[in-house]
Amino acid sequence: PQIGIAKADGSKDGYLAAGDWTTFNNKVTGLQNGTGTTVLTAVQTYTGPTTVNLGTLAIDGSIASAVTVNAAGTLSGSGTILGNVTNSGTVTPGGGAGVLTIAGNYIGNGGAVRVNTALGNDASATGRLVVTGDTSGTGLIRVVNTGGTGALTAEGIKVIDVQGASNATFTL
């Protein structure tokens, strides 16, 4: 069966509608290809690849597939990605101020991790990327100050938490 995505006016973006109940047996892939934002709030169990070409894909639930973020794409949210993430675009945990967990590996391909942080002491509010697997490759960290006035830190403000092997190189 085929699923069409159409608005009432016939344009090809908008709501997902299917005529009959169908089981897809994890043969679904995800694609964010528009300038808007798609928010996934539930547990997504499909294992086909997910690609963010343009616009924002926000994971506020969980997703089982690997995710590729291309140069004009943004991966956001406060949920969990169970597959690997390859980033050539932008990853913005929680839209900048929450925690996004990658329960796989993070592969930097020149992309950026962008966080909103109140630049202050060690306990400052910040967006955080948690990677339970390994990191590799290269990328940027972009920190947006959200009202912090600066303060001395003993340990710093943790914006990326790598629980596996930390082999990526990030430039501020």
Side-chain angles (χ1 to χ4, degrees):
Q2 294 182 348
I3 294 179
I5 299 176
K7 288 183 178 178
D9 66 5
S11 62
K12 293 184 179 182
D13 59 348
Y15 300 97
L16 180 66
D20 298 312
W21 289 102
T22 304
T23 301
F24 292 98
N25 297 321
N26 286 327
K27 295 183 181 178
V28 176
T29 60
L31 178 66
Q32 170 65 33
N33 208 27
T35 57
T37 298
T38 300
V39 180
L40 301 178
T41 58
V43 174
Q44 307 296 321
T45 59
Y46 71 89
T47 56
T50 298
T51 303
V52 184
N53 284 327
L54 181 65
T56 301
L57 175 62
I59 308 297
D60 285 339
S62 66
I63 187 170
S65 75
V67 178
T68 299
V69 184
N70 289 325
T74 299
L75 176 63
S76 183
S78 296
T80 301
I81 297 142
L82 299 172
N84 295 336
V85 172
T86 302
N87 183 22
S88 301
T90 303
V91 173
T92 305
V99 176
L100 180 65
T101 301
I102 299 171
N105 299 321
Y106 174 92
I107 301 100
N109 194 23
V113 175
R114 181 186 175 275
V115 294
N116 292 338
T117 304
L119 295 174
N121 63 20
D122 290 327
S124 295
T126 186
R128 181 175 299 159
L129 178 64
V130 175
V131 181
T132 64
D134 304 333
T135 61
S136 62
T138 62
L140 303 170
I141 296 178
R142 294 190 179 139
V143 177
V144 177
N145 186 9
T146 56
T149 57
L152 185 63
T153 63
E155 296 182 22
I157 302 168
K158 187 181 285 191
V159 296
I160 300 177
D161 181 1
V162 180
Q163 297 172 2
S166 182
N167 296 315
T169 301
F170 292 98
T171 304
L172 185 60

